[in-house]
Amino acid sequence: GQQLNQSPQSMFIQEGEDVSMNCTSSSIFNTWLWYKQDPGEGPVLLIALYKAGELTSNGRLTAQFGITRKDSFLNISASIPSDVGIYFCAGQRIDGGTSYGKLTFGQGTILTVHP
Amino acid sequence: DAGVIQSPRHEVTEMGQEVTLRCKPISGHDYLFWYRQTMMRGLELLIYFNNNVPIDDSGMPEDRFSAKMPNASFSTLKIQPSEPRDSAVYFCASSSEVVGPYNEQFFGPGTRLTVL
């Protein structure tokens, strides 16, 4: 199925550094979501964006919904060891006539933080 | 507050055997999703249900895969016969009807399937 183009595929950083990852799509989405997956667990929602151009923060996380609605980025500031995991972007459309939005996921960014 | 429950957490089976994965969604949620995660293909939606009815099964790889939701609190994903290329982590997720601008899906811990 269709996937979003997420980059980078992996990152190895030192504790305290900032991290940036992004997603692009050829399709427009109504909503962009960022999930984190810890080892051995399912993805957990970090941030949801639903307005083009919106910039949202959640603690050390900042995410933006691109103006064209075809891209989004996630920044993590002052990384700590527990930030380790896989980060996924996901795009969602709310189809006309229904209230359900199907999620399309990026390939994921594997983040490793060295103490 | 229990989240999405999946069983088993790990399954090792031999090629040709039938495999059944189980999921209990969050109580009150009316959407249920089955995903497969592999290194090569990432997270893929296999099928989803709304009010126990399959809505979109276009992601189901082939006829060897089938999914059922006999009631609001239980779903199964069955692979018969299983093949080594089916080895993956299978996630179940649930959500409720969209009442805001987005539909948050809550994921279970996954079932890691290994087919030898």
Side-chain angles (χ1 to χ4, degrees):
Chain A
Q2 177 194 5
Q3 282 196 324
L4 305 176
N5 297 313
Q6 185 173 348
S7 64
Q9 289 188 346
S10 61
M11 301 184 74
F12 298 84
I13 63 170
Q14 292 293 130
E15 182 177 0
E17 291 183 357
D18 296 344
V19 173
S20 184
M21 58 193 79
N22 67 83
C23 268
T24 59
S25 171
S26 57
S27 303
I28 290 175
F29 290 102
N30 303 107
T31 303
W32 281 88
L33 306 166
W34 285 93
Y35 281 81
K36 183 193 177 193
Q37 183 178 18
D38 289 326
E41 300 295 331
V44 174
L45 183 65
L46 295 174
I47 285 183
L49 304 149
Y50 53 93
K51 288 183 183 178
E54 177 184 2
L55 185 71
T56 295
S57 293
N58 179 5
R60 293 180 296 106
L61 306 178
T62 301
Q64 184 158 31
F65 190 156
I67 290 289
T68 63
R69 294 198 285 158
K70 293 182 178 181
D71 63 295
S72 176
F73 73 74
L74 174 71
N75 288 339
I76 306 172
S77 63
S79 59
I80 59 178
S82 62
D83 290 335
V84 164
I86 306 176
Y87 291 79
F88 291 97
C89 62
Q92 186 173 66
R93 294 187 187 86
I94 306 297
D95 294 324
T98 71
S99 58
Y100 165 73
K102 191 172 176 177
L103 285 180
T104 302
F105 281 88
Q107 300 97 323
T109 296
I110 301 171
L111 179 63
T112 303
V113 180
H114 294 287
Chain B
D1 201 16
V4 175
I5 299 172
Q6 291 187 247
S7 65
R9 291 295 307 271
H10 301 274
E11 177 81 28
V12 180
T13 190
E14 292 188 344
M15 183 174 62
Q17 297 298 306
E18 178 179 293
V19 175
T20 300
L21 311 181
R22 298 173 176 80
C23 175
K24 177 178 168 55
I26 293 172
S27 178
H29 281 189
D30 44 16
Y31 286 94
L32 184 139
F33 309 83
W34 282 101
Y35 290 88
R36 178 172 66 177
Q37 185 178 35
T38 61
M39 288 296 293
M40 291 298 294
R41 299 175 66 86
L43 264 170
E44 302 174 276
L45 177 65
L46 300 177
I47 185 172
Y48 78 89
F49 296 82
N50 178 214
N51 292 321
N52 314 336
V53 177
I55 302 300
D56 184 349
D57 65 354
S58 60
M60 295 286 261
E62 48 197 273
D63 292 345
R64 297 184 298 106
F65 285 69
S66 63
K68 294 182 180 179
M69 192 165 185
N71 57 62
S73 59
F74 184 65
S75 177
T76 59
L77 178 67
K78 187 175 292 187
I79 309 172
Q80 167 62 20
S82 58
E83 296 182 2
R85 61 192 168 120
D86 301 330
S87 297
V89 181
Y90 291 81
F91 288 103
C92 176
S94 71
S95 68
S96 59
E97 189 79 13
V98 175
V99 293
Y102 64 91
N103 178 325
E104 181 175 356
Q105 295 181 19
F106 295 83
F107 285 77
T111 295
R112 181 173 294 277
L113 173 64
T114 302
V115 183
L116 303 174

